[in-house]
Amino acid sequence: EIVIPLLTGIVAKSNDLYTINRYYDMLIGMIAKKMHAADSKAKIEARRIEELTLELKYKESSIMKFFKRSEIKMIKRKIQIKNRKIEKYNAIAENYKALLDYTKRIAERDKDTLNQKKF
């Protein structure tokens, strides 16, 4: 829904093919940057889950685990929260990936159409 107005705006704002290409590259770069940012946030959360899992195993294997029940529950809750964050970041990254693919597909289709009209 957003790709067509973006590409239309790029064409309307541009005076020549060089500026169209420049704006298109900027658009693709922005989308890719946001996609990679979401991916890296998901990886950071995954690393934190690994750390929490190790801490949880340590606390659960302790002889005094009956006294640490509240800490164990808190760690499990943190792991659940981080899993939801990872799902959210992965969904965001997938949305940006789909937007990037669709934008490239439309641009390639229009580029092919322009090349066919020249001949």
Side-chain angles (χ1 to χ4, degrees):
E1 295 174 5
I2 195 167
V3 174
I4 305 278
L6 284 174
L7 292 177
T8 304
I10 288 173
V11 171
K13 187 167 173 82
S14 303
N15 296 330
D16 57 1
L17 289 176
Y18 173 75
T19 53
I20 288 175
N21 195 26
R22 192 177 78 203
Y23 285 131
Y24 174 74
D25 290 341
M26 285 173 41
L27 174 67
I28 295 297
M30 270 181 16
I31 294 171
K33 183 179 173 183
K34 290 185 180 199
M35 183 181 70
H36 291 302
D39 277 337
S40 55
K41 285 180 182 179
K43 288 177 184 174
I44 289 170
E45 293 297 332
R47 260 187 269 130
R48 289 183 181 158
I49 284 178
E50 290 174 7
E51 294 169 2
L52 286 171
T53 304
L54 287 175
E55 185 179 348
L56 180 65
K57 286 180 182 177
Y58 173 74
K59 298 230 186 225
E60 284 181 333
S61 67
S62 173
I63 296 172
M64 306 293 278
K65 74 178 178 181
F66 297 109
F67 299 111
K68 298 181 181 185
R69 272 192 280 184
S70 62
E71 290 179 36
I72 291 171
K73 284 182 182 179
M74 184 180 68
I75 292 171
K76 287 180 179 179
R77 176 120 172 93
K78 284 182 182 179
I79 290 173
Q80 288 175 344
I81 290 169
K82 296 210 178 289
N83 277 328
R84 283 193 297 252
K85 282 185 180 181
I86 288 174
E87 289 173 7
K88 179 181 116 182
Y89 291 137
N90 285 336
I92 290 170
E94 285 299 317
N95 287 340
Y96 280 121
K97 184 178 180 338
L99 179 65
L100 185 66
D101 291 342
Y102 187 69
T103 304
K104 286 182 177 180
R105 208 170 343 128
I106 286 178
E108 287 297 319
R109 184 188 67 197
D110 291 343
K111 187 177 174 184
D112 291 340
T113 305
L114 285 174
N115 287 338
Q116 288 175 358
K117 287 183 180 180
K118 283 184 181 178
F119 298 108

